[in-house]
Amino acid sequence: MFHRIRRRAKEPSEAQRNFAELHAQLQGQIPPGFGVPATPEPEPVEPAVVDDFLPPELRVPSHDQVDGRMMPWAQPLVLGGEMVACAECGAYRDWLILSTRGEIWLRCQAGHQQLETRIDTAWYNRHSGPADATFATFEDCLRHLGH
């Protein structure tokens, strides 16, 4: 069995009375700027162009701007379980590996060059480090690498 308990109604608190008064005062008032067409925003100003590129002497050419890349390979080169040797002199170490126009060439210390079809550009890119220099001619690059 439940009994209903009657409580006498409480009078509103002072905060509730203040809110009711403020609410009554604001009835019918329109906030400033309401219903007034918005002023058009000013035209965006183009930001000043800042040349944030490196100075020309520090820029490195992109892959499409060079004829090829080369890296030294001092140790013997083993491909498919077989050690690669120069077809002319039999050298098997101190190679220069050249990547140019989608082909890979090997150059021995004696200056003999041979196309290597078992290596592709992806292999070259995985095994080469960042370029440390750029040269205008093939011969300048050979001198730099000691060939």
Side-chain angles (χ1 to χ4, degrees):
M1 180 178 250
F2 293 97
H3 293 284
R4 192 167 155 191
I5 301 174
R6 281 194 180 160
R7 297 190 180 181
R8 74 184 152 110
K10 282 199 233 172
E11 292 187 24
S13 69
E14 184 175 346
Q16 289 173 327
R17 281 192 304 269
N18 289 342
F19 177 76
E21 287 174 22
L22 182 61
H23 181 32
Q25 289 174 359
L26 295 176
Q27 286 296 71
Q29 291 187 6
I30 299 173
F34 188 77
V36 177
T39 57
E41 292 187 22
E43 291 293 320
V45 178
E46 289 292 324
V49 176
V50 178
D51 185 15
D52 60 350
F53 289 110
L54 289 170
E57 64 273 8
L58 295 177
R59 294 180 193 166
V60 177
S62 65
H63 291 293
D64 60 337
Q65 294 174 318
V66 296
D67 290 327
R69 296 169 36 204
M70 64 176 75
M71 69 173 169
W73 193 273
Q75 66 270 18
L77 183 60
V78 179
L79 300 173
E82 179 183 316
M83 186 167 51
V84 180
C86 176
E88 292 188 43
C89 67
Y92 62 92
R93 60 179 338 131
D94 293 321
W95 294 104
L96 280 184
I97 303 178
L98 296 85
S99 174
T100 180
R101 297 182 192 97
E103 297 178 331
I104 304 295
W105 292 80
L106 301 178
R107 180 182 172 98
C108 72
Q109 195 71 21
H112 307 125
Q113 291 181 182
Q114 61 194 42
L115 181 63
E116 182 51 69
T117 57
R118 294 174 288 181
I119 300 177
D120 60 5
T121 305
W123 182 95
Y124 181 90
N125 291 338
R126 281 192 309 272
H127 290 84
S128 66
D132 64 348
T134 304
F135 299 94
T137 66
F138 180 69
E139 291 74 24
D140 289 344
C141 190
L142 290 175
R143 270 192 296 281
H144 173 74
L145 294 173
H147 271 248

